[in-house]
Amino acid sequence: MVRKKKCVAMLLAGGQGSRLYALTNKIAKPAVSFGGKYRIIDFPLSNCVNSGIDTVGVLTQYQPLLLNDYIGNGQPWDLDRAYGGVHILSPYQGKHSSDWYKGTANAIYQNLHFIRQFNPDYVLVLSGDHIYKMDYSRMINFHILKGADCTIAAIRVSLEEASRFGILNADENDVVYEFEEKPKKPKSTLASMGIYVFSAQKLYRYLEEDAAKEKSSNDFGKDVLPAMLAAGEKICAYLFEGYWKDVGTIQSLYDANMDLLGDTPKLNVSDASWKIQSRSPLSPPQYLAETAKVNNSIVLSGCEIFGTVENSILSSNVVVKKGACVRNSIVMEDVVIGEDSVIEYAIIDEHTDIGRRVKLGEVRETGKGIAVVGRDLTVADGAVIAGGAMIEKDEEGRA
Amino acid sequence: MKALGIVFSNIHDTNLPELVRMRTLASIPFGGRYRLIDFALSNMVNSGIDKVGVITKRNYRSLMDHVGSGKDWDLARKDGGLIILPPFGDRDSDGLYNSRLEALRSITGFLGHCDEDYVVMTDCDNVCRINYNDVIEFHRVNKADITLVYRRSLADEDNPVILETDGEHRVINLKYERKSEGENKVFANIYVLKRSLLMSLIMDSLSSNFAHFTTDLLGSNVRAMRIMGYEHKGYFAAITSMQRYYERNMDLLDEKNRHELFGDRSVFTKIRDSVPTKYGAGAVVKNSLIADGCVIEGTVVDSVIFRGVKVARGSVVKKSILMQDTVLGENVTMNCMITDKDVVVRDMRVLSGSENHPFYIPKGSMI
């Protein structure tokens, strides 16, 4: 018997995430901390496992160290499998050529041998920078029922937003007849989520043809899908209804985090039937002191809170000293907030020390936006950092 | 020099009859997210011991469920790792030991197959952070046959073993003593000795009819052997009764105790994949230890809250220990209570114990 998998997932995790600025100076976008406990990549990985897909290739390129460490052997997601499981696929040197991944399609093309060893019927292509809960098995069933060669997951967006997305124009049978990449005058509001199911043989064929074209930018949205459409292949749109957020910008990352708060959060990670798995921190339980005030917030283990925390998300091992106040903010792991400091509408990245009496950020309604402090920094006592500011490490490691 | 770890999971079960009704002493929940055995295992792993035998007797399903393959303690190894040693019955007996000495007799086969020079033996009712490398070094420098770890304490616990030492840390007497005056050197139930010596002591004990390892066998050998006492400084919790269990959990609300116990080294435990803890808009939490996966919408003061606990709006929890997945309805009042796992308390209930007699609610109760 030839062993095979029904579906292999390929997770594009090489993106630099340049619009996250300081947060992705040292790490790839999918490794950015989310919701206190998670990293962005936990969502697509958990979706795969929950959808019954146990073979995932993770394509890394930009700053892969932390991401590779985090994924490890895949055990937290139950992806340490004897046949299948999670595989990190980094660019490699071949006998005749060696190259970085030039585009999304090229990254998959360079790893076709990985896909082929599982002899799958379908290949699922995912992005590592979206926050959502989605049952891919439904999408694959849709793909099979429609007899499609490629299926693209899509969401409805508002007409104003539509010009920021790749827009699909589809007929009443969900068959796509036209793509428009970021159209100025969108004809529909059906936006591509960057999630594709391909029938494996078609994917192989079009990726090989695309690789042979010299002028191609080797991108799924710009090159491969239009080529398939032009050749008359059946491309369908699968409408996804549910929470989905592209966390490619500081604002959208912030908003998605805040969607976890409240009595009935927009994004529910407590659903036992669709668990989001992650590598758990090994810290003692959190301690809230006599002087602590914590309201409408998420707080992880290892935190020690002596001050005030409101409408905020605190990752593991964060210390909020006496008199300090954290409001409407996201604080990532191992951050210390010194006495009497006030943090308002800000994101503080991992391993950063905020001194005493620091004033970071401005009130959300009236200020100049989200203040961001990068990782491994020390902010001096008494510093005042305006809203919208971006503090990151320079070459010598000074703030 | 390599050392082998031996953990006694059931010794002293009788001290906490309520808590061990459905589990071993080793698997009693402690400190918000741990089980007692986590401290014993973590001390060993953090001291570089990567082969640990866990001796069990009864009710050990919860323990097996907790430790699994040993992976979460980095003890799932090709060679060594975590080895559960259940009772070994044969034609003549059911293998259920009645004392430490009998337990050790039942694992002589296992001990014989190991190749480590030293054995570190510990019980699970001693919660502390100790580096066994320091104890083994002390053992070697002092050319000891056996090293016993002790701490200075008022002997106010049940059945403490008190050590008497001379000026050179040599143990000259071991005895059970209750309510002894002043500060004593109380044995911490941690032993270090050569594996070969342990095996020969077990063999010899067969002919001498001793029942107890510590008081009989070691007690009668204080002259013949060089038994040394190693003092453990720093936080130490002896879980010797329900009252002590309550007090020692509450100890962790003190920053000094907490930092001494956890320090900068990890205490490993089973990964539960809880979601983060969420505080509602009306939450008031003061001087409390809260684990992951909780939803706190009411008031929690001076308490230890385990993983997955829910405290609904209007409820007030004071000086209590709520174990895993306890669910409190709305407007519940809890004072000096200990709830075991999966307890549900309905709306409006008022439950109260007192600080010197906390009230315990068994696993799975619905109040």
Side-chain angles (χ1 to χ4, degrees):
Chain A
M1 192 188 92
V2 182
R3 297 186 78 179
K4 68 185 287 165
K5 295 281 183 187
K6 183 179 170 192
C7 180
V8 169
M10 299 295 275
L11 179 46
L12 298 161
Q16 184 178 346
S18 51
R19 286 172 304 149
L20 289 178
Y21 306 99
L23 301 179
T24 50
N25 276 350
K26 290 268 181 254
I27 63 172
K29 182 154 68 164
V32 169
S33 170
F34 181 83
K37 170 168 181 161
Y38 308 98
R39 293 189 186 274
I40 294 169
I41 198 168
D42 288 332
F43 286 81
L45 276 184
S46 299
N47 286 340
C48 280
V49 175
N50 292 339
S51 306
I53 297 167
D54 64 6
T55 308
V56 184
V58 179
L59 299 124
T60 61
Q61 177 155 294
Y62 174 79
Q63 292 283 13
L65 177 66
L66 194 140
L67 188 60
N68 292 359
D69 270 3
Y70 184 70
I71 295 170
N73 69 350
Q75 184 267 325
W77 303 269
D78 205 18
L79 284 172
D80 50 337
R81 300 292 175 94
Y83 179 64
V86 67
H87 297 252
I88 304 269
L89 303 169
S90 48
Y92 56 90
Q93 192 166 30
K95 189 167 182 184
H96 300 294
S97 66
S98 60
D99 239 323
W100 295 101
Y101 295 151
K102 286 181 293 242
T104 51
N106 179 258
I108 308 275
Y109 170 74
Q110 290 200 38
N111 289 289
L112 281 181
H113 60 292
F114 165 79
I115 301 175
R116 281 194 166 113
Q117 66 182 341
F118 296 102
N119 191 24
D121 298 324
Y122 307 100
V123 178
L124 175 67
V125 177
L126 304 169
S127 301
D129 47 9
H130 300 157
I131 299 290
Y132 63 116
K133 298 193 292 182
M134 179 173 177
D135 188 344
Y136 302 134
S137 67
R138 288 191 182 191
M139 180 175 169
I140 293 166
N141 285 341
F142 173 91
H143 177 85
I144 296 168
L145 281 174
K146 288 280 174 186
D149 300 303
C150 170
T151 299
I152 303 170
I155 48 153
R156 292 259 172 232
V157 293
S158 65
L159 203 59
E160 304 86 74
E161 283 182 301
S163 52
R164 294 198 290 117
F165 288 92
I167 294 297
L168 307 177
N169 297 322
D171 66 17
E172 67 279 9
N173 295 317
D174 307 311
V175 176
V176 175
Y177 59 86
E178 192 186 11
F179 292 112
E180 289 180 293
E181 192 65 24
K182 296 178 185 160
K184 288 213 173 70
K185 283 186 185 155
K187 290 184 207 125
S188 95
T189 53
L190 205 56
S192 166
M193 296 161 67
I195 298 168
Y196 314 111
V197 174
F198 289 95
S199 295
Q201 298 304 327
K202 298 281 180 182
L203 177 73
Y204 303 158
R205 194 180 125 198
Y206 284 94
L207 283 184
E208 277 158 7
E209 284 180 17
D210 178 65
K213 288 180 198 156
E214 273 195 12
K215 282 188 179 160
S216 174
S217 58
N218 305 119
D219 185 88
F220 275 108
K222 288 190 200 119
D223 307 291
V224 177
L225 294 173
M228 285 181 81
L229 200 63
E233 303 289 356
K234 188 172 182 184
I235 299 181
C236 288
Y238 171 78
L239 184 67
F240 173 73
E241 287 167 320
Y243 186 92
W244 180 81
K245 203 147 225 162
D246 178 344
V247 287
T249 63
I250 296 280
Q251 187 66 49
S252 63
L253 179 70
Y254 176 89
D255 291 343
N257 269 283
M258 291 300 148
D259 286 343
L260 291 164
L261 295 179
D263 285 347
T264 46
K266 285 189 200 155
L267 171 60
N268 176 15
V269 288
S270 308
D271 179 3
S273 68
W274 204 265
K275 269 194 172 180
I276 304 302
Q277 308 284 10
S278 67
R279 221 171 255 285
S280 294
L282 254 183
S283 316
Q286 54 198 276
Y287 176 72
L288 273 61
E290 197 66 46
T291 48
K293 281 197 194 99
V294 179
N295 264 317
N296 190 34
S297 293
I298 282 174
V299 181
L300 264 282
S301 59
C303 287
E304 296 200 310
I305 315 233
F306 298 87
T308 301
V309 178
E310 280 173 16
N311 306 329
S312 294
I313 292 175
L314 268 54
S315 194
S316 54
N317 304 323
V318 171
V319 180
V320 178
K321 298 245 169 107
K322 218 169 172 177
C325 182
V326 180
R327 258 187 235 112
N328 302 314
S329 295
I330 299 164
V331 184
M332 299 185 187
E333 61 187 57
D334 293 321
V335 168
V336 177
I337 296 176
E339 276 134 43
D340 304 316
S341 288
V342 178
I343 314 296
E344 184 85 56
Y345 200 35
I347 299 177
I348 304 174
D349 206 352
E350 303 172 20
H351 311 290
T352 282
D353 277 0
I354 307 284
R356 298 167 181 205
R357 301 180 312 281
V358 170
K359 203 176 165 314
L360 168 62
E362 290 165 16
V363 177
R364 182 173 184 169
E365 290 73 24
T366 55
K368 288 190 284 293
I370 303 166
V372 177
V373 180
R375 57 173 52 221
D376 304 318
L377 296 176
T378 305
V379 175
D381 292 353
V384 177
I385 298 167
M390 178 82 55
I391 310 293
E392 54 196 298
K393 217 168 193 174
D394 65 14
E395 292 298 309
E396 289 89 46
R398 289 178 313 230
Chain B
M1 287 292 184
K2 285 182 76 179
L4 164 74
I6 297 285
V7 175
F8 296 90
S9 72
N10 286 87
I11 299 272
H12 306 140
D13 269 4
T14 47
N15 290 337
L16 293 144
E18 304 97 325
L19 290 173
V20 298
R21 206 167 68 83
M22 306 283 271
R23 54 169 79 91
T24 59
L25 187 123
S27 44
I28 290 178
F30 185 80
R33 74 176 288 189
Y34 305 100
R35 305 280 185 140
L36 290 180
I37 194 172
D38 293 339
F39 297 91
L41 290 180
S42 299
N43 281 333
M44 288 184 172
V45 171
N46 287 330
S47 304
I49 297 174
D50 59 8
K51 189 195 256 184
V52 182
V54 179
I55 302 182
T56 62
K57 182 177 180 184
R58 55 165 64 102
N59 290 353
Y60 52 88
R61 202 179 62 191
S62 67
L63 179 67
M64 309 250 320
D65 175 53
H66 181 66
V67 296
S69 64
K71 175 186 77 198
D72 291 336
W73 294 261
D74 202 18
L75 283 174
R77 298 296 183 86
K78 271 189 148 169
D79 185 21
L82 184 89
I83 300 135
I84 301 272
L85 302 165
F88 190 83
D90 59 18
R91 259 189 328 192
D92 305 321
S93 80
D94 57 8
L96 288 180
Y97 57 85
N98 286 311
S99 70
R100 190 188 305 277
L101 194 52
E102 283 180 31
L104 286 169
R105 274 179 201 143
S106 74
I107 64 157
T108 45
F110 168 73
L111 290 173
H113 280 112
C114 295
D115 58 0
E116 285 76 7
D117 296 306
Y118 290 99
V119 181
V120 175
M121 302 198 294
T122 179
D123 292 348
C124 287
D125 52 357
N126 42 12
V127 176
C128 65
R129 183 159 61 102
I130 183 168
N131 185 343
Y132 290 126
N133 292 318
D134 296 344
V135 186
I136 294 170
E137 186 57 25
F138 171 92
H139 181 89
R140 286 170 54 191
V141 167
N142 285 287
K143 297 190 170 53
D145 292 314
I146 301 175
T147 297
L148 304 178
V149 177
Y150 70 87
R151 69 210 154 86
R152 289 176 192 275
S153 166
L154 300 170
D156 58 350
E157 291 124 25
D158 305 303
N159 304 323
V161 175
I162 308 286
L163 307 184
E164 273 177 43
T165 57
D166 67 12
E168 262 95 52
H169 310 292
R170 182 167 172 180
V171 176
I172 51 172
N173 194 13
L174 306 132
K175 59 188 178 195
Y176 276 123
E177 202 158 325
R178 222 177 253 263
K179 306 271 178 204
S180 195
E181 286 296 304
E183 195 180 64
N184 285 289
K185 293 171 179 168
V186 180
F187 180 39
N189 300 322
I190 296 169
Y191 313 72
V192 171
L193 70 170
K194 277 230 161 105
R195 188 175 55 93
S196 53
L197 176 64
L198 177 62
M199 292 189 66
S200 66
L201 283 172
I202 296 168
M203 287 305 157
D204 294 350
S205 75
L206 285 170
S207 54
S208 59
N209 234 345
F210 286 137
H212 295 288
F213 184 80
T214 314
T215 43
D216 293 353
L217 201 155
L218 298 189
S220 65
N221 273 313
V222 286
R223 275 172 226 288
M225 290 192 301
R226 200 171 151 76
I227 302 179
M228 304 298 293
Y230 174 92
E231 184 181 355
H232 168 72
K233 292 169 183 153
Y235 182 73
F236 188 98
I239 314 294
T240 53
S241 67
M242 190 60 108
Q243 180 62 26
R244 298 285 171 261
Y245 174 78
Y246 176 77
E247 291 166 4
R248 296 296 82 81
N249 269 288
M250 293 302 164
D251 278 354
L252 299 181
L253 299 180
D254 184 274
E255 188 168 351
K256 180 170 174 287
N257 292 337
R258 213 166 51 240
H259 288 186
E260 279 183 16
L261 181 58
F262 296 115
D264 48 8
R265 282 203 284 183
S266 299
V267 177
F268 302 97
T269 187
K270 183 185 181 184
I271 302 285
R272 203 176 116 147
D273 288 318
S274 311
V275 296
T277 284
K278 233 172 136 169
Y279 296 94
V284 177
V285 181
K286 304 223 168 281
N287 189 37
S288 294
L289 208 54
I290 315 261
D292 278 348
C294 297
V295 179
I296 311 286
E297 291 169 332
T299 300
V300 177
V301 181
D302 302 331
S303 295
V304 176
I305 309 293
F306 283 71
R307 292 189 267 197
V309 169
K310 297 197 165 50
V311 177
R313 247 172 269 268
S315 287
V316 178
V317 179
K318 281 186 179 155
K319 296 181 177 169
S320 295
I321 298 169
L322 307 184
M323 290 190 210
Q324 297 94 296
D325 301 313
T326 294
V327 176
L328 304 190
E330 293 183 7
N331 301 313
V332 169
T333 305
M334 304 274 274
N335 191 25
C336 299
M337 298 293 295
I338 300 175
T339 61
D340 207 316
K341 277 180 76 174
D342 300 318
V343 166
V344 177
V345 183
R346 293 216 181 99
D347 295 356
M348 311 295 286
R349 297 284 187 274
V350 177
L351 301 169
S352 186
S354 75
E355 263 173 273
N356 54 18
H357 198 113
F359 194 75
Y360 168 79
I361 303 177
K363 187 172 168 180
S365 304
M366 172 93 84
I367 306 274

